[in-house]
């Protein structure tokens, strides 16, 4: 007799309980609705990409790629060169190249899908998680107003979710790029990746890393002075100019960021913040970049990020520049569940438990459930014909607000709100479930 395999969780691969999954689905429904209201078309891409395409697209993410091989049989060279995608932007860029002749540009898409990263698991950081992305790509040129649209769509979605106050931090990669070149730092990509760690490791360690990378103490001081600039209005422009650095790329970045902040102040006052320490570590970003924090929970880091990319999708003849933003959905929901105690009001979609008088009359209970479901009222039938008190307790444990009692011996049906105790006569063909109870709501434990 074989020894049973011990069941143990695998770190970094989260699995929600039913109430938490219902909370996540509520977030998904709201986010998808907002994305579609703004005309983004749904898309899903394959889980794997050629490793050679994934390599070099993610900066420090190169070491995080999961390779894919077959367990049985001899793997072909092609199989061995596949990896799970670490974000949804790289596969989307590949999708655009393959289908450019069938798409109408500018192409707007949303994508809600799993991604995989081989990073060290910790709270809010997973190896498998769901992202919710929107992107706009065009042929040759991408109008700058799309860079302002991305955070405004996210602001609308987040305003509908039970997450409290939030702040979308915006920068433009051309600002630090032009600034670094203006002070003589030529390895822009490396400098950006170092400065991007500022919130995680602090200014002293960032200074040390910059000097180690070849910067002088004065150059490192200037880089940190730029990163310290933040404002909800256009005053960041004067603050940068006051540092006395000049470069044409810096000018382009300041103008572009000013346009985004101006649009934000008009449509989502107080939400968008020009924050010049935001860099984003991925190498493919070339323009505006975004990060989003929940006010009062800044230690969680960013729960939504993205930016503009001009060269990620190119076949050598035609370039398809784009801009996008991504919600780390699993990360956001997990942190709200574990840190703020958010959960769904019940662990089942059912709003009604149809009681069973006795097993011989289970068909009558099934008829009631069928009638209710036909009218869009989610319900389930009691698992056994136990005493009504036990059936009510079953509904209470699952958070089901109503129990339906089919009439026996010619008596009429009755429905009971087990929260208030009110019980009334009802007909499955006409009874109206209160709108607030049709779907699970959100509560704080």
């Amino acid at each position: 007799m074989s020894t049973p395999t011990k069941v143990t969780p695998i770190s970094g691969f989260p699995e929600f309980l039913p109430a938490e999954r219902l909370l996540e689905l509520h977030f998904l429904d709201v986010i998808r609705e907002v994305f579609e209201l703004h005309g983004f078309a749904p898309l899903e891409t394959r889980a794997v990409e050629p490793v050679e395409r994934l390599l070099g697209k993610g900066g420090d993410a190169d070491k995080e790629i999961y390779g894919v091989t077959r367990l049985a049989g001899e793997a072909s060279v092609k199989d061995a060169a596949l990896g799970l995608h670490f974000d949804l932007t790289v596969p989307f860029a590949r999708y655009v190249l393959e289908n450019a002749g069938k798409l109408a540009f500018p192409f707007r898409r949303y994508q809600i899908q799993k991604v995989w990263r081989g990073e060290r698991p910790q709270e809010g950081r997973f190896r498998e998680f769901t992202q919710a992305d929107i992107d706009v790509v065009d042929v040759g040129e991408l109008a700058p107003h799309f860079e302002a649209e991305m955070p405004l769509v996210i602001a609308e979605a987040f305003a509908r979710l039970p997450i409290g106050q939030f702040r979308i931090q915006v920068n433009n990669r051309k600002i630090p790029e032009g600034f670094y070149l203006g002070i003589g730092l030529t390895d822009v990509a490396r400098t950006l990746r170092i400065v991007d760690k500022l919130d995680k490791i602090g200014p002293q360690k960032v200074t040390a890393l910059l000097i180690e990378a070849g910067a002088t103490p004065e150059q490192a001081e200037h880089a940190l002075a730029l990163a310290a600039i933040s404002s909800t209005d256009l005053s960041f422009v004067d603050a940068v100019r006051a540092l006395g650095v000049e470069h044409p790329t810096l000018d382009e970045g300041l103008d572009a960021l000013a346009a985004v902040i101006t649009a934000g102040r008009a449509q989502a006052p107080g939400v968008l913040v020009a924050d010049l320490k935001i860099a984003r570590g991925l190498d493919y970003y070339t323009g505006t970049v975004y990060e989003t924090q929940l006010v009062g929970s800044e230690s969680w880091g960013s729960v939504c990020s993205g930016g503009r990319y001009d060269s990620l999708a190119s076949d050598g003849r035609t370039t398809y520049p784009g801009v996008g933003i991504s919600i780390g959905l699993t990360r956001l929901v997990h942190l709200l569940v574990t840190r703020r105690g958010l959960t769904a009001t019940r662990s089942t979609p059912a709003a009604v438990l149809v009681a069973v008088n006795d097993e011989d009359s289970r068909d009558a209970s099934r008829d009631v459930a069928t009638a209710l479901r036909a009218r869009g009222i989610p319900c389930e039938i009691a698992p056994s014909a136990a005493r009504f008190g036990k059936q009510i307790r079953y509904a209470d444990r699952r958070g089901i607000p109503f129990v339906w009692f089919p009439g026996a011996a010619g008596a009429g049906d009755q429905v009971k709100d087990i929260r208030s105790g009110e019980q009334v006569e009802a007909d499955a063909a006409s009874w109206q479930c209160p709108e607030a109870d049709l779907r699970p709501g959100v509560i704080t434990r």
Side-chain angles (χ1 to χ4, degrees):
M1 183 175 178
S2 61
T3 303
T5 303
K6 184 178 180 181
V7 177
T8 57
I10 302 177
S11 179
F13 294 83
E15 295 176 322
F16 288 135
L17 292 171
E20 298 162 355
R21 174 58 174 160
L22 284 167
L23 176 68
E24 184 181 39
L25 288 174
H26 170 70
F27 275 56
L28 280 168
D29 289 342
V30 170
I31 290 166
R32 186 174 66 249
E33 179 183 2
V34 172
F35 287 173
E36 292 185 355
L37 282 172
H38 286 263
F40 291 92
L43 185 67
E44 182 170 303
T45 57
R46 65 197 186 206
V48 297
E49 296 292 333
V51 169
E52 64 180 2
R53 177 156 186 83
L54 295 174
L55 288 172
K57 298 297 184 183
D60 291 340
D62 292 0
K63 62 181 179 294
E64 300 176 356
I65 297 170
Y66 277 107
V68 177
T69 57
R70 292 186 297 197
L71 290 177
E74 183 179 352
S76 68
V77 174
K78 187 175 182 180
D79 288 334
L82 296 178
L84 295 172
H85 55 230
F86 60 82
D87 74 355
L88 299 179
T89 307
V90 172
F92 172 57
R94 184 267 311 159
Y95 179 92
V96 169
L97 292 176
E98 290 186 2
N99 296 280
K102 305 172 185 177
L103 302 177
F105 293 95
F107 179 52
R108 305 164 67 86
R109 85 85 167 85
Y110 78 85
Q111 192 169 344
I112 300 174
Q113 209 170 328
K114 295 279 190 182
V115 300
W116 295 266
R117 294 182 186 176
E119 61 182 356
R120 182 174 64 87
Q122 51 188 301
E123 187 175 26
R125 294 285 183 184
F126 303 111
R127 292 172 172 171
E128 178 186 64
F129 53 97
T130 299
Q131 288 189 180
D133 288 24
I134 49 172
D135 286 78
V136 179
V137 295
D138 211 338
V139 182
E141 297 285 338
L142 180 72
H145 63 79
F146 290 117
E147 295 175 62
E149 181 182 0
M150 295 295 107
L152 295 176
V153 175
I154 296 301
E156 183 176 330
F158 276 18
R160 298 187 182 197
L161 294 170
I163 63 175
Q165 190 178 356
F166 57 93
R167 181 186 301 112
I168 302 177
Q169 300 158 298
V170 189
N171 194 8
N172 190 292
R173 287 282 283 260
K174 292 181 179 180
I175 294 176
E177 178 184 348
F179 189 89
Y180 299 156
L181 292 173
I183 62 174
L185 292 174
T186 55
D187 193 345
V188 173
R190 186 176 183 182
T191 305
L192 280 170
R193 284 197 293 271
I194 293 172
V195 174
D196 193 43
K197 300 176 182 178
L198 189 58
D199 282 341
K200 296 178 182 178
I201 64 176
Q204 289 186 333
K205 290 184 178 179
V206 166
T207 298
L209 288 175
L210 288 172
I211 293 174
E212 182 182 321
T216 67
E218 291 76 16
Q219 289 172 326
E221 183 180 348
H222 267 76
L224 288 176
L226 178 71
I229 296 173
S230 177
S231 72
T232 57
D233 55 24
L234 300 184
S235 61
F236 73 90
V237 177
D238 291 334
V240 174
R241 296 298 187 199
L243 296 177
V245 178
E246 296 184 2
H247 195 278
T249 303
L250 174 61
D251 296 337
E252 291 178 24
L254 288 172
D255 290 342
L257 184 56
V260 173
I261 295 300
T262 298
R265 284 170 61 82
Q267 298 186 43
V271 173
L272 268 61
V273 179
D275 192 329
L276 304 195
K277 72 175 178 295
I278 304 302
R280 303 300 303 148
L282 296 174
D283 291 340
Y284 53 68
Y285 291 129
T286 56
T288 303
V289 288
Y290 321 97
E291 289 191 355
T292 308
Q293 294 185 336
L294 303 189
V295 175
S297 301
E298 288 81 3
S299 62
W300 296 2
S302 180
V303 296
C304 175
S305 56
R308 175 165 179 148
Y309 45 92
D310 285 312
S311 304
L312 184 60
S314 176
D315 59 8
R317 300 186 306 273
T318 306
T319 298
Y320 301 86
V323 61
I325 193 165
S326 171
I327 302 170
L329 186 73
T330 305
R331 169 177 169 76
L332 176 61
V333 173
H334 171 81
L335 289 169
L336 289 170
V337 168
T338 58
R339 299 284 191 90
R340 294 190 182 176
L342 254 62
T343 188
T345 51
R346 55 186 188 254
S347 61
T348 171
V352 179
L353 176 74
V354 181
V356 178
N357 293 324
D358 53 61
E359 289 301 331
D360 290 339
S361 64
R362 180 170 287 275
D363 284 347
S365 297
R366 187 175 293 115
D367 290 343
V368 170
T370 299
L372 292 173
R373 290 168 185 152
R375 298 175 49 241
I377 301 172
C379 59
E380 62 177 278
I381 303 169
S384 67
R387 294 188 303 273
F388 282 155
K390 187 172 182 180
Q391 294 187 53
I392 290 172
R393 286 193 295 274
Y394 172 85
D396 185 49
R397 285 196 303 271
R398 293 167 65 77
I400 301 174
F402 296 97
V403 175
W404 192 285
F405 300 103
D413 291 4
Q414 294 192 339
V415 64
K416 180 174 185 173
D417 184 335
I418 65 174
R419 299 161 299 184
S420 66
E422 181 183 8
Q423 185 167 325
V424 297
E425 292 186 356
D427 185 337
S430 59
W431 178 76
Q432 296 294 324
C433 179
E435 186 68 28
D437 293 320
L438 270 176
R439 299 290 180 269
V442 177
I443 58 172
T444 302
R445 286 191 291 258

